[in-house]
Amino acid sequence: MDSELFEKFLKESKKRLNGKSDSEKIRVFIDWCVRNNYEEVILRISSEGKGGWTRNHYLDFTTSRIIVTKKSFLTKFADLGYVAGLAPYPYLVLLKDPNPSKIRLQARLSAEELLKRESFYIWYSDIAEFVLRKGIETLVTNMFGRAIVSNFLRIKTSSGKEYNFTLPVNKNGTYDQIRFWIGVVLPSFCQP
């Protein structure tokens, strides 16, 4: 998405956005993108293996699929991510004065640009099972003696493939926060 297209969305959807909750505003944005046949990144979640040294990925939830991208060596250490996990344009939808010119260039990655990296994707229509599980790894503690908390995501496809991701709380927020935002993007898979 570029700033002109975002401005078009704001003009067309201004009345529909008034008085809506944050999650409803994001759904209006998603519905507009789908209706206009535009794939937009909505949410980014970070996944990493134990200790953060192996199997480090971004899970980018778009309007039609999950794009799983391997993190580069440097982003393992300086993983800034998005504000509250939301991609730049969906985040602007929540602001009273959305200004697309303030979006950093490196944060404006489209789904097509993500696919050019070392990645694969899972179409929402191909998901047979989607399980987000709250978990605490009690075997590993940090220097203060606290358990390192992670959440877990398992996705099974209709073709029989299974993907397992560890979602660290320190990069993604609590289980309830992750469940809330994934539930906005994938309401049919995250029913309470």
Side-chain angles (χ1 to χ4, degrees):
M1 181 168 282
D2 58 26
S3 57
E4 292 91 29
L5 191 58
F6 184 71
E7 292 293 337
K8 181 181 177 187
F9 160 75
L10 289 177
K11 285 178 187 173
E12 291 179 12
S13 305
K14 187 173 186 172
K15 288 181 182 177
R16 291 185 64 211
L17 293 172
N18 286 337
K20 301 278 188 193
S21 68
D22 287 352
S23 61
E24 291 170 325
K25 288 178 182 178
I26 298 300
R27 280 304 320 167
V28 168
F29 180 70
I30 291 169
D31 294 342
W32 183 88
C33 290
V34 169
R35 217 176 23 258
N36 289 285
N37 202 25
Y38 188 79
E39 184 177 23
E40 178 63 26
V41 177
I42 304 298
L43 178 68
R44 172 174 281 177
I45 295 179
S46 186
S47 169
E48 63 184 38
K50 289 186 181 189
W53 295 103
T54 61
R55 295 182 302 158
N56 293 284
H57 297 94
Y58 287 121
L59 307 176
D60 287 293
F61 291 75
T62 73
T63 52
S64 58
R65 59 185 158 183
I66 301 169
I67 300 173
V68 181
T69 310
K70 186 173 180 173
K71 290 182 189 178
S72 71
F73 181 75
L74 292 177
T75 56
K76 292 177 190 180
F77 302 105
D79 183 5
L80 302 176
Y82 294 149
V83 177
L86 290 174
Y89 289 108
Y91 180 71
L92 286 178
V93 171
L94 303 180
L95 300 179
K96 287 183 181 180
D97 184 27
N99 184 353
S101 66
K102 293 182 179 178
I103 298 174
R104 294 182 325 206
L105 185 60
Q106 62 268 34
R108 294 182 188 193
L109 291 175
S110 68
E112 293 81 24
E113 292 168 321
L114 290 171
L115 290 170
K116 291 177 184 174
R117 297 176 174 196
E118 190 176 343
S119 64
F120 65 93
Y121 56 89
I122 305 165
W123 292 107
Y124 296 147
S125 59
D126 193 33
I127 296 175
E129 184 179 352
F130 187 94
V131 179
L132 179 63
R133 182 173 57 83
K134 187 176 188 176
I136 299 177
E137 292 187 11
T138 56
L139 299 176
V140 181
T141 58
N142 63 16
M143 59 194 263
F144 300 108
R146 292 190 207 130
I148 298 172
V149 180
S150 293
N151 298 301
F152 304 95
L153 175 62
R154 184 179 75 234
I155 301 171
K156 287 185 181 179
T157 65
S158 55
S159 62
K161 291 184 180 178
E162 183 174 325
Y163 304 96
N164 292 288
F165 302 100
T166 301
L167 312 176
V169 170
N170 62 340
K171 293 188 180 181
N172 298 307
T174 66
Y175 171 81
D176 293 328
Q177 292 166 329
I178 294 169
R179 184 174 178 81
F180 175 80
W181 286 112
I182 290 177
V184 170
V185 178
L186 297 171
S188 60
F189 292 104
C190 288
Q191 299 296 327

